[in-house]
Amino acid sequence: MKFNQLVVAGLLYSSASLANAASSNSEFVVEDIRVEGLQRVALGAALTYIPVQKGDELNTFRITQLIRSLYSSTHFENIAVMRDGNTLIIRVAERPTISNIIFEGNDDIKDEQLQESLDGNNIRVGEPLDKTVLTSIENGLKDFFYSIGKYNADVTAIVTPLPRNRVDLKLLFEEGDAAEIKQINIVGNELFSDTELLEDFELQYNTAWYDFLSETRYQQQTLQGDMETLRNFYMDRGYLRFNVDSTQVAMSPEKDGIYISLNITEGEQYTISDVELVGDLLGHEDFIEKVLPLTPGELYSQAEVTYTEEYISKYLGRFGYAYPTVTTVPEINDEDKTVKLTLRVDPGKRIYVRRINFNGNTITADEVLRQNVVQMEGTWLSNSMLETSKNSMSRLTYMEEVEFETVRIPGKDDQVDVEFNVKEQPSGSFNAGISYGDQTRLGLQAGIQQDNFLGTGKRIGINLSTVSYQKQAQLSYTDPFFTIDGISLGGTIAYSEFDGSSFNVIQYNSKRWSVGGTIGYPIDEFNRITFGLTYSDIELSNRGYYEQTNRFYEQFTNENNPDAPIAYTSLQASAAWSRVTLNRGLFPTAGSSQRASFSITTPNSDVNYFKTVYDARFYFPLTRNQRWSVLTKLRLGYGNGYGDINGNDQILPFNENFTAGGADTLRGFENNTVGPRGIRRSSVGNSTTLPDGTVVPGDPSNDTIALSRRSLGGNAMALGGVELIVPTPFVEEDSSNSVRTSMFIDVGNVWDTEFDYEEYAQLNNGTTGAELLDFSDWTLFRSSAGLSVQWISPMGPMVFSFSRALKERDGDDAKFFTFNIGQTF
């Protein structure tokens, strides 16, 4: 319409210009053509749009064609055609060039979305500006705001002229407040109440102040979705004739309130009289009929019908029939209120995979990703194999997103290419920690872990650290695909010097070096078993004399030099089972991760003990986009000795005890401070010295005890927690996979099953203000609650936790803030 108006205006202007020149006869033979007013457009380019050449006879009809052709080039704003003798003069005014595009005041629409809309109208920087489309753009943006309930919104396009025929284009937005839903009425419902029907609606009204998940702002698309939800509610309960007769959306005079009315006809319930399968089922009729959820005599359910269609399609997709057509034809009998369902199945052609391609992997080699793909090239296409391949790649810690699509081959109706589109994320981490405590003082540590070394998918870790409590050097290597069948192979070499008194545990020093290897076998896509063997050489010195540790030291102590270091070696065999169904390797929102391990030292070792640990995490998404999820976690552990030395039962070495407290166990408590404490027993003052110098021990019941400020740890552990994962404020949705915020409750305890409380309960406690607890009592749990923010930074995962101890025991060291780099939980 607007284009035609411009043409007419141009024709009128041209006719007026030609009036004096053409007089009674406007036809003439063109001897020359002159174009005036060109600035940016080259003369040669302009002439290509002029359908007239020298020697042509020009009349009114051809002038009209000339003007239309020039306007179609989109370069010109005004065109005038004149005659000077037999010379054709064309005067043009070029459209101004867009120098800059500015968006101002837009909150609900991102700049990128606006630019895409403008690109669709050929409005972009460097292009000529067609002012005729600005009004339609303004109206289109207004319609968008109206669809989300902002009826007071206004959009103004401002064009500012600049030198050299350039302009700045500014889109000024006044969004205003969105109209809230004041009421939703359903008219015609007799079988179900408004409350039942509105329960699953996304649009809500009159919600409680704390219900921040509800959507009270009117949105047209959301209403359409809610109407479909209402239809499904009835159709899934057998009301086959249900219908939404009409919908009224009324607005308050102030344009700040919306009133919605839905007029419905419920109808009556229908039952299934018969289910018939027709078409080519490729010989799988018997199996499909047995597993069909549709049963004669039951109420009709649209959800069951849809599920049946999808199930048959997916089942046939396992055998290469990737594009089957499954259609359900209902035959409704209104007299007896029954419906016969006929499922027509057309499997189509068997589809084969020509090629599998990977896009978006700038670091990871294609062959690494291909190792996780169970769909093979040259074989028939299997949707289940593609989903399995996608899930396997998604669980890689260096993959943020994985999607796939099948692309048909032109001219080939039985072949496709599979395109995996991946988005990588940092695969390495700079492990660092900083802490400060009354005993530990300032501590720093650093290390490097690379899960995708040089894009090969191999894991290499180098850890060199010197902190107040430990000096450590460790080199680890794992090849997750040592063989094409997915058998993994890894090894570790490590050396450490440890000072327990600076680690919030009892006083002792240790030196340890170890070398070990592991081999893992995949059972299926989710389950894996791993076996390992590790040799260790350990030296303990600077012992603290505690009741719980003396029993272990006595096995190796030299009677002539009881303070001398002790040393022992061990060969430890281990076996572990893991099951992982997480949707992502880092920051998962759905699925589970479980791991159970058992390790035991061989009988020829200097110490004989075993340890078993079970660790599980379960994620339950609360919303469809999975930005809200619940995490439940559990960690259990137990260890003890087996066999005996010199008639004494062996026990778990105290340096192998479990500890708790800190970022990955019990937030809100200082690292490793939760659990049993060391007990010092003294009989000084209870003994008697005879005249000959003989010392006669006193009554043991008069001994005194003192509790250490530091933890000893225990041979049993139970930790758990619940976290509500929420969207991180002020973080864009496309960055949600790298930043996570959660509110948590942690609970747990570490205890010693070998501790005899009665042996010490009656003794005088010389520790001021410290209570002797029953360290064998597993019910002495601790708990905390707080807020945690995790960020996958370029240096690795960073964790900030703000927490408060809810239940603590005497001697615990509660901490409000903890900060870690290199660990996630």
Side-chain angles (χ1 to χ4, degrees):
M1 179 68 73
K2 294 178 180 178
F3 176 79
N4 293 335
Q5 291 173 349
L6 286 173
V7 171
V8 172
L11 290 174
L12 292 174
Y13 184 64
S14 299
S15 298
S17 302
L18 287 168
N20 294 329
S23 63
S24 60
N25 185 8
S26 60
E27 297 184 1
F28 69 100
V29 176
V30 178
E31 294 181 357
D32 192 15
I33 300 175
R34 193 164 68 238
V35 182
E36 300 176 352
L38 294 177
Q39 296 181 13
R40 178 176 51 83
V41 180
L43 176 60
L47 290 175
T48 61
Y49 290 96
I50 299 176
V52 176
Q53 298 179 355
K54 294 179 182 180
D56 289 349
E57 184 174 322
L58 191 65
N59 53 33
T60 304
F61 175 73
R62 300 199 67 178
I63 291 174
T64 302
Q65 288 183 315
L66 184 152
I67 293 174
R68 286 178 176 173
S69 179
L70 284 174
Y71 272 124
S72 69
S73 69
T74 71
H75 293 302
F76 306 111
E77 196 167 52
N78 290 306
I79 301 171
V81 179
M82 293 174 289
R83 172 184 176 185
D84 183 6
N86 288 333
T87 298
L88 176 64
I89 302 174
I90 304 173
R91 290 181 177 174
V92 298
E94 294 183 354
R95 289 177 177 173
T97 302
I98 301 174
S99 176
N100 194 20
I101 300 177
I102 304 169
F103 305 112
E104 187 174 306
N106 53 304
D107 294 327
D108 274 356
I109 310 180
K110 297 180 180 179
D111 289 358
E112 294 79 6
Q113 293 175 295
L114 289 170
Q115 188 58 58
E116 289 178 3
S117 176
L118 296 180
D119 289 344
N121 290 277
N122 202 35
I123 294 182
R124 57 177 67 89
V125 174
E127 295 291 333
L129 174 62
D130 183 1
K131 296 180 181 178
T132 62
V133 303
L134 292 181
T135 301
S136 63
I137 291 176
E138 291 175 343
N139 293 333
L141 291 173
K142 288 179 183 178
D143 290 340
F144 169 79
F145 285 115
Y146 295 164
S147 70
I148 61 174
K150 292 194 172 185
Y151 293 97
N152 291 313
D154 191 23
V155 182
T156 304
I158 302 175
V159 178
T160 304
L162 299 175
R164 301 190 305 277
N165 198 28
R166 296 176 303 123
V167 294
D168 275 349
L169 174 61
K170 177 188 287 187
L171 287 175
L172 183 61
F173 297 86
E174 295 181 10
E175 295 185 348
D177 296 327
E180 289 194 354
I181 300 173
K182 300 298 183 182
Q183 194 170 19
I184 302 178
N185 293 319
I186 299 179
V187 181
N189 54 311
E190 297 177 357
L191 301 170
F192 302 98
S193 66
D194 286 5
T195 302
E196 290 178 280
L197 299 179
L198 295 175
E199 184 178 0
D200 294 329
F201 272 38
E202 190 172 344
L203 294 179
Q204 298 288 332
Y205 71 98
N206 288 338
T207 58
W209 64 270
Y210 53 81
D211 191 2
F212 47 84
L213 288 176
S214 297
E215 179 60 77
T216 61
R217 186 175 67 173
Y218 172 72
Q219 297 191 51
Q220 184 178 359
Q221 291 183 345
T222 307
L223 177 60
Q224 294 296 326
D226 286 340
M227 291 171 60
E228 188 63 28
T229 298
L230 180 62
R231 180 181 300 278
N232 292 338
F233 180 90
Y234 278 93
M235 297 289 281
D236 293 345
R237 289 163 176 78
Y239 295 92
L240 194 56
R241 294 297 192 185
F242 169 82
N243 187 51
V244 179
D245 300 322
S246 62
T247 304
Q248 292 87 36
V249 179
M251 183 167 48
S252 64
E254 296 80 11
K255 297 184 179 181
D256 61 351
I258 297 293
Y259 298 85
I260 301 173
S261 294
L262 303 176
N263 298 283
I264 67 172
T265 299
E266 293 179 316
E268 298 186 36
Q269 284 182 311
Y270 286 73
T271 57
I272 300 174
S273 61
D274 190 21
V275 180
E276 183 180 1
L277 284 169
V278 298
D280 186 4
L281 295 174
L282 308 174
H284 300 283
E285 293 87 349
D286 293 340
F287 176 80
I288 293 177
E289 287 177 354
K290 290 179 181 179
V291 298
L292 281 182
L294 300 174
T295 305
E298 293 186 351
L299 286 175
Y300 174 86
S301 171
Q302 183 63 44
E304 294 289 349
V305 172
T306 302
Y307 171 79
T308 301
E309 294 175 346
E310 292 177 350
Y311 177 83
I312 295 176
S313 297
K314 290 182 178 179
Y315 183 76
L316 296 178
R318 296 173 57 186
F319 305 100
Y321 297 88
Y323 303 104
T325 301
V326 182
T327 306
T328 302
V329 180
E331 298 180 26
I332 302 175
N333 189 331
D334 291 321
E335 292 183 1
D336 58 5
K337 301 298 182 292
T338 61
V339 56
K340 177 184 176 181
L341 301 177
T342 301
L343 281 79
R344 302 185 182 277
V345 181
D346 180 10
K349 284 192 173 183
R350 175 172 278 184
I351 306 299
Y352 292 83
V353 177
R354 184 185 71 168
R355 187 177 295 113
I356 297 177
N357 302 315
F358 301 92
N359 306 307
N361 51 314
T362 59
I363 299 175
T364 309
D366 281 8
E367 64 183 28
V368 175
L369 299 179
R370 201 174 296 276
Q371 289 170 342
N372 294 273
V373 177
V374 295
Q375 172 73 63
M376 296 289 104
E377 295 177 344
T379 63
W380 67 59
L381 177 67
S382 171
N383 290 331
S384 62
M385 287 186 177
L386 290 180
E387 287 292 340
T388 299
S389 304
K390 171 188 171 181
N391 294 334
S392 179
M393 281 188 282
S394 297
R395 285 190 287 270
L396 297 174
T397 57
Y398 42 89
M399 285 294 149
E400 183 175 338
E401 292 180 1
V402 179
E403 298 293 342
F404 70 85
E405 61 179 339
T406 55
V407 181
R408 288 182 177 268
I409 307 300
K412 302 286 186 179
D413 59 357
D414 62 346
Q415 291 185 27
V416 295
D417 283 346
V418 178
E419 301 285 340
F420 280 97
N421 301 300
V422 304
K423 182 180 179 181
E424 296 173 309
Q425 63 185 4
S427 59
S429 62
F430 172 71
N431 302 321
I434 181 170
S435 63
Y436 184 86
D438 295 337
Q439 302 298 324
T440 61
R441 300 300 175 184
L442 183 65
L444 299 171
Q445 61 179 352
I448 296 175
Q449 177 73 35
Q450 176 59 255
D451 290 344
N452 186 21
F453 183 68
L454 298 179
T456 63
K458 298 178 174 63
R459 293 192 291 270
I460 293 181
I462 301 175
N463 194 333
L464 301 172
S465 64
T466 300
V467 293
S468 60
Y469 57 86
Q470 188 175 46
K471 296 179 180 179
Q472 180 179 1
Q474 178 176 294
L475 175 64
S476 61
Y477 171 84
T478 302
D479 185 351
F481 280 91
F482 180 68
T483 69
I484 194 173
D485 298 325
I487 295 177
S488 62
L489 186 67
T492 302
I493 300 175
Y495 173 80
S496 66
E497 296 181 5
F498 181 78
D499 181 0
S501 62
S502 298
F503 193 60
N504 287 334
V505 295
I506 60 171
Q507 176 185 337
Y508 75 94
N509 288 59
S510 72
K511 293 182 180 179
R512 176 196 295 255
W513 73 267
S514 61
V515 58
T518 59
I519 186 170
Y521 298 87
I523 301 175
D524 54 33
E525 60 174 306
F526 301 123
N527 296 274
R528 171 178 286 269
I529 56 174
T530 305
F531 301 96
L533 196 63
T534 302
Y535 175 83
S536 299
D537 188 296
I538 302 169
E539 177 186 280
L540 301 178
S541 61
N542 192 25
R543 63 177 290 186
Y545 288 85
Y546 302 100
E547 288 289 294
Q548 299 100 314
T549 61
N550 287 344
R551 180 180 170 188
F552 177 78
Y553 276 113
E554 287 171 357
Q555 300 175 84
F556 305 96
T557 299
N558 184 344
E559 295 181 357
N560 298 323
N561 187 8
D563 295 326
I566 65 171
Y568 63 90
T569 61
S570 67
L571 183 63
Q572 188 176 60
S574 63
W577 161 80
S578 63
R579 173 179 171 82
V580 181
T581 63
L582 300 175
N583 61 338
R584 281 198 297 269
L586 284 177
F587 289 170
T589 55
S592 65
S593 171
Q594 302 177 71
R595 188 177 193 276
S597 63
F598 177 80
S599 60
I600 185 170
T601 58
T602 57
N604 61 328
S605 301
D606 293 338
V607 291
N608 298 138
Y609 67 89
F610 65 89
K611 291 178 72 174
T612 182
V613 177
Y614 173 74
D615 202 335
R617 295 167 183 262
F618 299 89
Y619 292 85
F620 304 95
L622 300 179
T623 57
R624 292 180 181 177
N625 60 10
Q626 298 187 359
R627 298 195 68 190
W628 294 77
S629 295
V630 171
L631 162 64
T632 61
K633 55 185 181 179
L634 176 67
R635 182 181 298 178
L636 303 174
Y638 177 75
N640 216 328
Y642 73 92
D644 62 78
I645 294 182
N646 299 326
N648 296 318
D649 291 340
Q650 294 215 44
I651 61 174
L652 181 70
F654 66 88
N655 56 317
E656 297 289 342
N657 279 349
F658 300 106
T659 59
D664 59 344
T665 53
L666 274 172
R667 288 161 286 187
F669 294 87
E670 181 64 80
N671 291 337
N672 310 303
T673 60
V674 173
R677 301 188 175 280
I679 298 177
R680 295 180 184 270
R681 184 168 182 170
S682 175
S683 60
V684 176
N686 295 330
S687 58
T688 302
T689 303
L690 299 177
D692 61 358
T694 304
V695 178
V696 180
D699 186 352
S701 63
N702 293 325
D703 290 354
T704 61
I705 60 173
L707 299 180
S708 70
R709 296 180 58 187
R710 304 185 182 94
S711 172
L712 172 72
N715 70 328
M717 168 187 65
L719 303 170
V722 178
E723 292 190 42
L724 174 63
I725 300 169
V726 302
T728 304
F730 313 113
V731 173
E732 299 291 341
E733 185 173 354
D734 54 4
S735 300
S736 60
N737 289 341
S738 59
V739 180
R740 165 165 289 182
T741 300
S742 62
M743 293 174 282
F744 64 84
I745 295 178
D746 288 346
V747 62
N749 188 27
V750 172
W751 67 98
D752 183 0
T753 62
E754 301 296 315
F755 181 75
D756 185 1
Y757 176 71
E758 297 300 328
E759 181 179 350
Y760 305 98
Q762 305 302 320
L763 301 181
N764 180 34
N765 186 352
T767 304
T768 304
E771 177 187 1
L772 175 64
L773 303 176
D774 185 356
F775 299 136
S776 65
D777 186 358
W778 67 273
T779 64
L780 296 178
F781 67 90
R782 282 79 163 171
S783 63
S784 63
L787 174 71
S788 174
V789 178
Q790 304 175 60
W791 172 40
I792 303 179
S793 71
M795 293 187 300
M798 304 179 72
V799 182
F800 306 85
S801 297
F802 304 86
S803 50
R804 177 183 178 87
L806 301 179
K807 183 67 175 180
E808 53 185 308
R809 305 293 177 177
D810 189 44
D812 289 343
D813 188 1
K815 292 295 182 183
F816 173 72
F817 173 73
T818 57
F819 165 64
N820 276 71
I821 301 178
Q823 287 185 338
T824 58
F825 51 88

